[in-house]
């Protein structure tokens, strides 16, 4: 049982210019149930698009996304008949992810009531239970979101997602909008919840130090493609792709084994997705780029059973 | 990019005008049911079926709705706006003279309104929170709250009863025939419309000025010793102009509506009076064409405002 | 069990604004006077003519004097106000319901439906309000329902705009996306997640429109196309006053306008503040 993406592609049409951009370009990966996959990349690399596809908010243009062998956006799917998806999403910004006109208890109760997950007389007990689980005093259930701190709001978002009793939780930069002082608390909460409910996480972040804290597997994305994929030890301690290396290099407290090829940080901007470079999307910023890189689009190649990288120059 | 914008804007205006023509057609021709009953009232009952058919043919309502619409639009576009029986003139001819009256009134009203509005706005903004500011704001509030027809009737009553001065009681004079008389007849109606325009212009001016005064470039101008009056006009007012112009454009459109009432009170033979008279005389062709012309004017003014707005603000490309 | 946070209610903020309180008192007075008229508690019958007593000045019996037909102006004011209120409330209610519904549906579902809604409101916007109301009243008739309908048509596009704009931004908010991921139906999302968050500008617009509608109604009556004589209407009374006795009382209309304006725009402004 797992989450399986096969060649998932999402294209958006830009109406003003009539051109299409590839937000996601043939993503294939497999995440076993109960594990946590960390997805890392700069802003605009398609991480959030991936999140929206996995929770069924949008449909892939091409390719398939299967959860437990069933298409997520498939209307005949059992969960879709009740319209409740077993994959839920926690958004980045705790200030816009809760309805400002809804008391937080009601926001959780609504999920349970609409989908009849509990009999009516057990709903309030369930709301209190969920709030307790995420570390919010049940007294606070009559408050409006603006009366809570960012960390508390994010906990409420998690509780609301849990109310739907999901199996897979997509966390889209869940702590990056929070104060540094509360990040660790929320991260620890997420780890606890994973153990407690046997959840599968897809943890999206631009910050490798957060990813390292929680992930079993790591995928590094660049401009809509996965450039390196492996267990956290493989990716963090033996990074192969020059982009992964650059990201790790940029982490203040991490030393890379076998650094050498890259001593300088990344230069240049991420290319415009509407105007992609030919060949390898990274070659313009790559410290080890070769002339052939502008002509050849590299595929993800296996280094070991679990570790693969999309750069022929480092294999 | 710029011509592109112009054409897409033009296209959307044309689409809107098409919608307007259908709307006018539906509201004025379909809903009242029948021009014949509208014109003859209960007398329709005594007509023979043949007579009704002849009348239907005469009014062009023997065709299908679609046919009626296309024949109306066809002749409208050719400049044939119909015939007014009470005046014995073609609607096109009527419109020619009445449009000039309304245009003169609207332009005078806008100019007056902008002058009064900017003056009071500057007067108010000079010292926010002071007595002058309060007086200026009170003016703005009253100008907004007093309907044009109350102000107009007050002016008429005071002028006629107390001073025995009422130039509008005399025959209307075009500016070509008697400019001085025309000015006297236009002065008060234009003032009434101007005051309605002045209120929002005053408010916009005041807030735009207050906002600009705090900007760094104004402080710099003061700092380098530019005389206060020059700063006020050259730096502050000029940079506050964009919202003022937008507001004026919007008001110019509304002013056309106000003209309907003001023209009636001051007995000016403008577009508004033309519509009203046609409604009272149940001349549907005249009403239909006049309302359509009103709408075309309105849309054109909005388009022009939009274009001017883009000209003034170099940031909008 | 719960320790509810003591929130300062919107009433608290409202009562601190002077113009808001003045406006509220005046609107209350107007409603009261209209109610007096509604229950026919005025001192004289507003349409009863008394040839003996035409054009009398204010007196103990006729508080505001009498008009050229000897009718009591005070009673006519009360009854005129009642008519104006009914027409403005009725027309704004229709415009609000229709406009807000179309605006929210158009903004939320987009596509062709939205284009049609926007184009329709552009068309109606292309007429000066009073002219359009005139044309419609001309077609429909002169009863108060016809007048209300005409004014409602004129004001509907304003509500479409006021509702549609915020919906476009609100539907992109993460909490609306969350609601979709959580499998809520579109009606539920529209009613309980989008509507409450676009309400503030609508409330302000209702307040403004109520006052404008009174003006439009009196304008129509003034031009002879709204309330018909011998019934009383504020606009009609100004028109009659042209003939002779210009009555101070008629300046009530602007007051009406201002009361609504200050009262409601205050409440509109204060209301959302507790949520932000």
């Amino acid at each position: 049982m797992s989450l399986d993406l096969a060649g998932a592609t999402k294209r958006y049409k830009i109406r003003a210019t009539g051109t299409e951009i590839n937000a996601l370009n043939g993503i294939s990966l497999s995440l076993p149930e109960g594990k946590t996959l960390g997805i890392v990349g700069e802003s605009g690399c398609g991480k959030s698009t991936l999140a929206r596809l996995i929770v069924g908010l949008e449909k892939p243009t091409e390719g398939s996304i299967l959860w437990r062998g069933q298409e997520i956006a498939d209307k005949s799917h059992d969960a879709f008949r009740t319209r409740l998806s077993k994959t839920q999403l926690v958004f980045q910004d705790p200030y816009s992810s809760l309805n400002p006109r809804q008391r937080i208890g009601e926001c959780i109760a609504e999920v349970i009531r609409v989908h009849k997950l509990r009999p009516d007389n057990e709903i309030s007990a369930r709301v209190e239970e969920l709030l307790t689980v995420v570390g919010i005093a049940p007294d606070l259930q009559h408050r409006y979101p603006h009366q809570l701190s960012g960390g508390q709001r994010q906990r409420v978002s998690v509780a609301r997602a849990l109310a739907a009793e999901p199996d897979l939780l997509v966390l889209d930069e869940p702590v990056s909008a929070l104060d540094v002082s509360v990040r660790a608390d929320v991260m620890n909460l997420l780890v606890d919840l994973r153990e407690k409910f046997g959840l599968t996480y897809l943890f999206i972040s631009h910050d490798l130090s957060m990813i390292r804290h929680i992930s079993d597997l790591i995928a590094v994305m660049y401009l809509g493609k996965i450039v390196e994929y492996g267990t956290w030890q493989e990716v963090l301690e033996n990074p192969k792709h020059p982009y992964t290396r650059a990201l790790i290099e940029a982490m203040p407290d991490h030393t890379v084994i076998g650094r050498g090829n890259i001593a300088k940080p990344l230069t240049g901007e991420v290319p415009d997705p509407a105007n992609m470079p030919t060949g390898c999307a990274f070659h313009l910023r790559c410290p080890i780029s070769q002339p052939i890189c502008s002509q050849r689009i590299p595929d993800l190649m296996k280094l070991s059973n679990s570790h693969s990288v999309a750069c022929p120059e480092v294999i | 990019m710029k011509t592109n914008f112009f054409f897409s804007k033009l296209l959307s205006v044309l689409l809107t005008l098409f919608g307007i023509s259908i709307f006018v057609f539906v509201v004025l021709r379909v809903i009242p049911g029948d021009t014949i009953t509208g014109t003859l009232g209960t007398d329709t009952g005594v007509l023979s079926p043949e007579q009704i058919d002849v009348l239907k043919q005469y009014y062009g309502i023997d065709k299908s709705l679609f046919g009626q619409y296309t024949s109306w639009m066809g002749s409208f576009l050719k400049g044939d706006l119909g015939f007014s029986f009470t005046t014995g003139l073609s609607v096109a001819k009527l419109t020619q003279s009445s449009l000039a009256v309304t245009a003169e009134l609207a332009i005078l009203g806008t100019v007056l309104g902008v002058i009064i509005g900017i003056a009071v706005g500057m007067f108010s903004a000079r010292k926010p929170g002071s007595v002058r500011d309060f007086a200026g704001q009170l003016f703005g509030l009253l100008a907004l709250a007093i309907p044009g027809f109350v102000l107009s009737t007050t002016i008429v009553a005071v002028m006629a009863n107390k001073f025995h001065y009422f130039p509008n009681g005399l025959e209307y004079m075009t500016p070509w025939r008697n400019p001085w008389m025309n000015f006297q007849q236009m002065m008060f109606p234009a003032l009434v419309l101007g005051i309605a325009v002045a209120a929002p212009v005053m408010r916009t001016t005041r807030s735009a000025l207050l906002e600009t005064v705090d900007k760094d470039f104004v402080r710099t101008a003061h700092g380098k010793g530019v005389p206060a009056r020059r700063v006020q006009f050259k730096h502050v007012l000029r940079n506050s102009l964009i919202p003022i112009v937008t507001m004026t454009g919007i008001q110019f459109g509304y002013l056309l509506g106000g003209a309907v009432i003001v023209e009636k009170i001051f007995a000016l033979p403008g577009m508004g009076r033309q519509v009203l008279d046609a409604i009272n005389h149940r001349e549907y062709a005249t009403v239909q064409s006049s309302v359509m012309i009103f709408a075309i004017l309105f849309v054109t003014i909005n388009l022009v405002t939009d274009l001017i707005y883009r000209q003034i603000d170099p940031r909008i490309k | 069990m719960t320790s509810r946070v003591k929130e300062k209610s919107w009433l608290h903020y409202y009562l601190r604004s002077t113009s808001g309180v003045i406006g509220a008192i005046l609107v209350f007075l107007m409603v009261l006077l209209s109610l007096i008229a509604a229950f026919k508690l005025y001192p004289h019958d507003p349409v009863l003519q008394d040839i003996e007593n035409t054009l009398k000045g204010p007196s103990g019996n006729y508080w505001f004097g009498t008009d050229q037909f000897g009718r009591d102006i005070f009673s006519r004011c009360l009854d005129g106000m009642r008519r104006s209120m009914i027409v403005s409330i009725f027309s704004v209610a229709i415009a609000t319901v229709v406009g807000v519904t179309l605006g929210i549906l158009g903004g939320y579902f987009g596509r062709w439906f939205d284009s049609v809604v926007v184009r329709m409101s552009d068309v109606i916007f292309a007429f000066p309000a009073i002219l359009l109301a005139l044309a419609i009243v001309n077609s429909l008739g002169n009863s108060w329902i016809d007048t209300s309908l005409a004014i409602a048509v004129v004001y509907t596009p304003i509500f479409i705009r006021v509702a549609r704009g915020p919906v476009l931004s609100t539907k992109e908010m993460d909490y609306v996306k969350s609601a979709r991921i959580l499998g809520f139906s579109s009606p539920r999302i529209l009613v309980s997640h989008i509507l409450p968050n676009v309400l503030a500008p609508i409330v302000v617009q209702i307040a403004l429109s109520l006052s404008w509608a009174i003006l439009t109604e009196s304008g129509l009556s003034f031009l002879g196309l709204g309330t018909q004589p011998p019934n009383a209407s504020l606009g009609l009374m100004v028109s009659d006053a042209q003939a002779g006795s210009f009555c101070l009382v008629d300046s009530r209309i602007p007051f009406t306008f201002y009361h609504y304006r200050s009262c409601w725009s205050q409440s509109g402004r204060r209301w959302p503040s507790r949520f932000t």
Side-chain angles (χ1 to χ4, degrees), chain B residues 11-13 15-21 23-24 26-29 31-32 141-142 144-147 149-150 153-154 156-157 161 203 253-254 256-258 260-261 264-265 272 275-276 279-280 282 284 287 290-292 294-296 298-299 302, chain C residues 119-132 134-140 142 153 158 212 214-220 222-225 234-236 238-239 241-246 250-258 261-262:
Chain B
L11 188 76
S12 119
V13 164
L15 251 168
T16 309
L17 284 176
F18 174 67
I20 289 168
S21 70
F23 188 78
V24 168
V26 169
V27 166
L28 290 171
R29 189 163 293 194
I31 296 178
L141 189 72
L142 287 178
L144 206 63
I146 299 180
F149 61 91
V150 171
T153 26
T154 315
V156 170
N161 294 347
R203 286 174 164 228
Y254 284 121
L256 285 178
V260 177
I261 286 176
K264 159 129 170 130
I265 298 171
V275 175
L276 275 176
I279 288 180
N280 287 334
R282 301 191 173 278
Y284 289 106
V287 178
S290 312
V291 169
M292 190 67 207
F294 244 116
I296 293 173
F298 203 87
V299 171
N302 285 344
Chain C
R119 187 64 60 195
M120 253 167 43
S121 58
D122 277 354
V123 165
I124 299 182
F125 261 125
F127 298 90
I130 186 88
L131 185 79
L132 183 60
L134 264 178
I136 299 174
V137 164
N138 171 50
S139 294
L140 291 179
N142 290 325
V153 171
I158 301 177
W212 290 337
I214 288 188
L215 269 189
T216 310
E217 192 272 341
S218 37
L220 281 177
F222 178 80
L223 294 173
L225 282 152
L234 298 183
L236 208 55
V238 180
S239 173
Q242 260 183 313
S245 67
F246 186 80
D250 300 324
S251 55
R252 253 160 208 291
I253 298 162
F255 277 107
T256 310
F257 182 69
Y258 173 60
R261 199 181 179 91
S262 58

Side-chain angles (χ1 to χ4, degrees), chain A residues 52 55 57 82-85 87-89 91 93 96-103 110-111 113-115 128 139 141-144 146-147 160 164, chain C residues 1-5 7 173-186 188 192-194 196-200 271-276:
Chain A
R52 288 199 294 271
V55 295
L57 206 55
T82 60
R83 297 180 58 101
L84 177 61
S85 178
T87 57
Q88 286 298 326
L89 177 62
F91 285 95
D93 180 6
S96 80
S97 56
L98 296 173
N99 183 348
R101 302 285 165 105
Q102 205 174 28
R103 294 177 198 272
E110 186 182 20
V111 181
R113 196 170 341 105
V114 167
H115 294 294
E128 282 173 21
D139 304 5
Q141 62 174 300
H142 297 292
R143 292 207 182 177
Y144 286 100
H146 73 271
Q147 296 167 317
R160 178 181 57 186
Chain C
M1 165 195 85
T2 55
S3 65
R4 288 205 184 191
V5 193
E7 275 182 49
M173 298 297 277
D174 286 344
Y175 60 82
V176 175
K177 290 185 190 157
S178 286
R180 281 169 59 198
I181 300 169
L182 288 163
F184 296 167
S185 63
S186 292
R188 169 170 287 274
S192 61
H193 296 269
I194 290 188
N197 289 292
V198 299
L199 219 51
W271 195 354
S273 66
R274 81 167 155 153
F275 298 107
T276 47

Side-chain angles (χ1 to χ4, degrees), chain A residues 101, chain C residues 9-11 13-14 199-200 203-204 264-276:
Chain A
R101 302 285 165 105
Chain C
S9 71
W10 65 271
L11 198 67
Y13 290 101
Y14 188 93
L199 219 51
V203 170
V204 174
W264 283 96
S265 63
Q266 283 302 329
S267 72
R269 206 178 318 142
R270 295 300 173 196
W271 195 354
S273 66
R274 81 167 155 153
F275 298 107
T276 47

Side-chain angles (χ1 to χ4, degrees), chain C:
Chain C
M1 165 195 85
T2 55
S3 65
R4 288 205 184 191
V5 193
K6 278 264 188 275
E7 275 182 49
K8 285 183 176 161
S9 71
W10 65 271
L11 198 67
H12 172 90
Y13 290 101
Y14 188 93
L15 291 176
R16 283 204 339 210
S17 112
T18 321
S19 62
V21 173
I22 295 176
I25 293 173
L26 294 174
V27 169
F28 173 75
L29 263 175
M30 276 191 44
V31 173
L32 194 74
L33 292 177
S34 303
L35 283 176
I36 291 179
F39 290 107
K40 302 198 186 302
L41 296 173
Y42 28 62
H44 298 268
D45 183 341
V47 295
L48 185 75
Q49 301 188 0
D50 181 359
I51 308 301
E52 312 270 293
N53 285 310
T54 57
L55 297 175
K56 284 275 154 66
S59 65
N61 190 14
Y62 299 107
W63 292 0
F64 289 171
T66 60
D67 66 5
Q68 67 268 41
F69 297 109
R71 297 174 296 201
D72 178 35
I73 293 182
F74 179 67
S75 305
R76 287 181 72 73
C77 278
L78 294 189
D79 204 43
M81 206 178 320
R82 177 184 68 89
R83 279 169 203 281
S84 296
M85 293 275 273
I86 290 177
V87 169
S88 82
I89 290 171
F90 193 65
S91 58
V92 172
I94 299 174
T96 307
V97 171
V98 176
V100 170
T101 309
L102 287 178
I104 287 185
L105 292 179
Y108 186 70
F109 291 109
R111 296 168 190 266
W112 66 268
F113 182 75
D114 192 37
S115 311
V116 171
V117 168
V118 169
R119 187 64 60 195
M120 253 167 43
S121 58
D122 277 354
V123 165
I124 299 182
F125 261 125
F127 298 90
I130 186 88
L131 185 79
L132 183 60
L134 264 178
I136 299 174
V137 164
N138 171 50
S139 294
L140 291 179
N142 290 325
S143 80
W144 69 270
I145 295 184
D146 298 324
T147 313
S148 306
L149 283 178
I151 297 175
V153 171
V154 177
Y155 285 57
T156 299
I158 301 177
F159 283 97
I160 291 181
R161 276 202 187 172
V162 168
R164 183 177 167 274
V167 170
L168 289 181
S169 54
T170 307
K171 78 167 178 182
E172 296 304 324
M173 298 297 277
D174 286 344
Y175 60 82
V176 175
K177 290 185 190 157
S178 286
R180 281 169 59 198
I181 300 169
L182 288 163
F184 296 167
S185 63
S186 292
R188 169 170 287 274
I189 293 176
L190 283 172
V191 173
S192 61
H193 296 269
I194 290 188
L195 187 62
N197 289 292
V198 299
L199 219 51
I202 295 174
V203 170
V204 174
Q205 191 56 53
I206 291 177
L208 292 177
S209 300
L210 278 173
S211 56
W212 290 337
I214 288 188
L215 269 189
T216 310
E217 192 272 341
S218 37
L220 281 177
S221 303
F222 178 80
L223 294 173
L225 282 152
T227 311
Q228 296 297 307
N231 286 327
S233 146
L234 298 183
L236 208 55
M237 290 173 67
V238 180
S239 173
D240 289 345
Q242 260 183 313
S245 67
F246 186 80
C247 178
L248 234 175
V249 179
D250 300 324
S251 55
R252 253 160 208 291
I253 298 162
F255 277 107
T256 310
F257 182 69
Y258 173 60
H259 305 164
Y260 266 123
R261 199 181 179 91
S262 58
C263 166
W264 283 96
S265 63
Q266 283 302 329
S267 72
R269 206 178 318 142
R270 295 300 173 196
W271 195 354
S273 66
R274 81 167 155 153
F275 298 107
T276 47

Side-chain angles (χ1 to χ4, degrees), chain B residues 29 67 127 132 138 155 160 168 171 183 224 257 278:
Chain B
R29 189 163 293 194
K127 229 179 172 185
R132 327 167 29 154
L138 189 68
I155 290 177
N168 297 79
E171 187 199 352
F183 174 74
K224 70 185 183 190

Side-chain angles (χ1 to χ4, degrees), chain A residues 125-141:
Chain A
R126 172 69 174 160
V127 169
E128 282 173 21
E129 179 194 340
L130 283 167
L131 284 174
T132 317
V133 160
V134 297
I136 301 262
D139 304 5
L140 302 185
Q141 62 174 300

Side-chain angles (χ1 to χ4, degrees), chain B residues 220-261:
Chain B
T220 310
H222 279 298
K224 70 185 183 190
V226 179
R229 186 167 291 273
R230 196 176 148 80
V231 174
Q232 182 80 353
F233 279 93
K234 182 118 195 268
H235 294 267
V236 179
L237 188 60
R238 203 165 152 188
N239 281 287
S240 316
L241 220 53
I242 293 155
I244 298 176
V245 168
T246 320
M247 190 36 95
T248 308
I250 296 171
Q251 291 306 315
F252 192 73
Y254 284 121
L255 191 138
L256 285 178
V260 177
I261 286 176

